[in-house]
Amino acid sequence: MIFTVLVALIVAYIIRHYLFTLAALYHKKEQLPYSAHETEYEPTVSVLIPARNEEHVIERILQRMTELTYPKEKIEVIVIDDASTDRTGKRAKKFAEEHKFISVVHRGIEDGGKGKPDVLNCGLKHVSGEIVYCFDADYYPQRDILEKLTACFRDPKVGAVQGRVTVLNEPNTLVTRLVALERTGGYRVDQFARDELELICQFGGTVGGFRKSLLEKLGGWDPNMLTEDTDLTFKVYLAGFKIKYVNHADCYEEAVEDWRSYWHQRSRWAKGHMQCAFRHLWPVIRSKNLRLKEKIDGFLLLNVYFVPIFAGLAWILGAALFLLQPLSWTKILWAAMPISFYSSVGNFAPFFEVGIGAYLDGRNRTYWLLPLLFLTFMFNMLICTKALIDLCISKITGKKRHAWSKTVHNGNGNHYIE
Amino acid sequence: MLKCVLVFLLTGNVERFGHLKVRPNFVHMAVGSGFAAVIILSHFQLVQILDISALVAIIFFNLLFVFLLFPLEGTLLRKLALLFAGNIVGLLWYLIQLSLKEASMFFLSTDAFTIITIVAKPLIDFVWIVSIWSLSLSVLASAKRKTEGLERS
């Protein structure tokens, strides 16, 4: 019985991602009412760049900020130096001295190091723009990314926007190549389809923005959540707004390069996402601001990091049933397991979703890596299981704040740009 | 047509599916479905030899292939050839497993190989399904690029 339920859940995710793949393949021609040199709607924007020990990459993004095509008189860039012990603060200050629209907020050791949500809330106090964007320090956006994203805010129902993330240092290691594939499936197909089908688009924590008024109304970023972005996503929808995904608003990121960093990053994502599931599941189901299809998608999205755990349990149970009590129905359900190993986990996607994403992007040489996605899935099974155990222990011990594991950026993608 | 129905059901917006940029190749899908059905039925003749789970895996592979690859650009003959080759690989995969299982039983008098294949089944099945599907997608995409290159020149 338990095995049947687990397989049914996994098959539900497979069907969901199959529908997303179809939606991404056969999208309509016009995605956004955006035209170059947009002059009708140009609100003031603030760009927050949280930075802690990012000396290898901070100059790259700040240089890019000076190259943005959005009118400089309507943009302000606020770098929040979060108690860095390297030259991040100095390098950012040098840019602030040369460009009036860039400013730096320094946080001391006593205030700093408490995680990204805390840093962003600090930055929010200094914001004067109508729209607030966030970019991580290791990111490298397109020059006209702000125009592409800001155009969406002409719709009063849009509370937030999210652009696309592409991996800059993809050729470096196997991990970066697999992460790049995950991003292709997660953004090019998954997010794109959710926008196309008017479901729950996720704010990814970076390459995105909010209406300042809405952000303040929602109380900013919750410092107790490890994935403040997912938390805000659901707060936006529960408040009656929506998030718009803009596929052609592209931004490069520096992906993790080794399995250890991958583990730490995804552990934080898994724990944070599960926290959001515990917090928002019931409000999503009860909300009067969400349509039925949004509630279903919201339910599936919130539980997505439990899927590897379900898959692992189903694997153990299925193998046991197959060996001990080999009825024909167990054999049939057991056959569903290979396909289920590609269920989505956060930004990840089933192999067919990733493959179609690569096809749509014209990335022909990456198909050969698809079979290796099982490595990340097996890894994620362990990550998600440990994350759930850690979270349960935290609940029992009453621990509210979780340690924030910062991803180290070495600037290894810089040479692809210079 | 399925996509149109899906979009309508999920968005409730009748106007949307009139503006689809890329239309799936329904003719290829229909032919592919028929071809896949014939292949699956012929596999069912081997149910005495093949495991039920092997047959279900082959059905899954055919469903993914027909509904995700057949609608894409490319010649029908190429798609049918890839589908046929994929099914042959799948069939050989399971026949080899069966042979190894029987051989281990006969020569080593042990069920060890059977137990290993059952426990590792998801991984073992995944290897051929994803590999063949990815290879087929790569072939179709390369052919599409060559055609586009020729058209430009």
Side-chain angles (χ1 to χ4, degrees), chain A residues 273-286:
Chain A
H273 212 94
M274 289 175 185
Q275 281 180 310
C276 292
F278 292 134
R279 175 183 280 195
H280 293 293
L281 204 56
W282 189 233
V284 161
I285 291 167
R286 287 178 52 202

Side-chain angles (χ1 to χ4, degrees), chain A residues 11 18-19 21-30 195-199 291 293 315 318-319 322-323 328 331-332 334-339 341-342 351-356 358-359 362 364-365 367-368 370-374 378, chain B residues 2-3 6-7 10-12 16 19-25 51-54 56-57 60 63-64 67-69 71-73 114-115 117-123 125-127 129-131 133-135 137-138 140-142 144-145:
Chain A
V11 169
Y18 181 69
L19 292 177
T21 309
L22 287 181
L25 262 178
Y26 308 118
H27 69 98
K28 62 177 182 176
K29 193 171 186 179
E30 280 182 42
D195 181 69
E196 173 75 6
L197 297 172
E198 294 178 352
L199 300 173
R291 293 168 289 180
K293 62 176 183 176
W315 189 3
F322 205 103
L323 288 168
S328 58
K331 290 182 184 181
I332 292 167
W334 187 229
M337 293 310 296
I339 310 296
F341 270 46
Y342 300 88
F351 74 91
F352 52 83
E353 199 170 301
V354 175
I356 293 298
Y359 175 85
N364 293 341
R365 290 183 188 175
Y367 303 129
W368 302 100
L370 286 179
L372 295 179
L373 282 174
F374 90 88
M378 296 297 285
Chain B
L2 174 67
K3 161 67 179 166
L6 277 170
V7 171
L10 290 167
T11 64
R16 275 186 182 235
H19 295 98
L20 293 174
K21 180 187 176 185
V22 177
R23 289 195 179 274
N25 198 324
D51 212 48
I52 292 177
S53 58
V56 174
F60 266 129
L63 281 174
L64 280 178
F67 291 104
L68 283 177
L69 294 188
L72 301 179
E73 288 176 41
T114 307
I115 294 168
T117 49
I118 287 169
V119 170
K121 186 168 183 54
L123 292 175
D125 280 349
F126 165 66
V127 168
I129 291 173
V130 178
S131 302
W133 192 89
S134 310
L135 178 65
L137 183 62
S138 175
L140 285 177
S142 300
K144 180 188 165 197
R145 264 203 345 183

Side-chain angles (χ1 to χ4, degrees), chain A residues 40-207:
Chain A
E40 287 176 19
Y41 181 64
E42 272 182 353
T44 50
V45 306
S46 301
V47 177
L48 297 178
I49 302 177
R52 180 174 164 83
N53 295 337
E54 303 280 13
E55 62 173 354
H56 298 292
V57 295
I58 191 68
E59 284 176 319
R60 186 178 72 197
I61 187 168
L62 288 177
Q63 176 59 37
R64 197 53 165 177
M65 289 293 123
T66 66
E67 294 165 1
L68 294 178
T69 53
Y70 204 84
K72 294 296 184 294
E73 64 274 11
K74 292 195 176 180
I75 180 175
E76 64 171 358
V77 174
I78 302 169
V79 177
I80 310 110
D81 171 24
D82 187 34
S84 298
T85 53
D86 61 3
R87 290 169 291 180
T88 303
K90 277 187 191 160
R91 291 182 174 180
K93 196 176 166 190
K94 188 178 134 206
F95 272 86
E97 284 164 0
E98 289 171 15
H99 304 277
K100 284 184 194 171
F101 70 99
I102 297 177
S103 60
V104 184
V105 173
H106 294 282
R107 302 182 88 204
I109 297 167
E110 55 287 344
D111 296 322
K114 292 173 188 163
K116 187 175 166 184
D118 212 44
V119 178
L120 289 169
N121 283 334
C122 173
L124 188 60
K125 291 176 195 164
H126 298 86
V127 156
S128 59
E130 295 164 57
I131 308 289
V132 181
Y133 287 105
C134 307
F135 285 94
D136 283 355
D138 61 303
Y139 278 60
Y140 190 79
Q142 292 169 323
R143 285 195 176 89
D144 56 350
I145 197 167
L146 292 183
E147 286 93 317
K148 288 175 180 172
L149 292 172
T150 308
C152 299
F153 284 106
R154 287 192 296 187
D155 179 354
K157 288 185 194 165
V158 170
V161 292
Q162 173 64 42
R164 183 179 171 175
V165 174
T166 308
V167 173
L168 176 63
N169 54 334
E170 182 181 346
N172 286 9
T173 66
L174 176 63
V175 176
T176 53
R177 287 177 194 273
L178 293 177
V179 169
L181 274 182
E182 286 173 358
R183 293 295 202 203
T184 302
Y187 282 93
R188 185 63 187 85
V189 178
D190 211 273
Q191 286 270 55
F192 185 94
R194 280 191 257 155
D195 181 69
E196 173 75 6
L197 297 172
E198 294 178 352
L199 300 173
I200 307 278
C201 287
Q202 202 173 347
F203 170 61
T206 179
V207 196

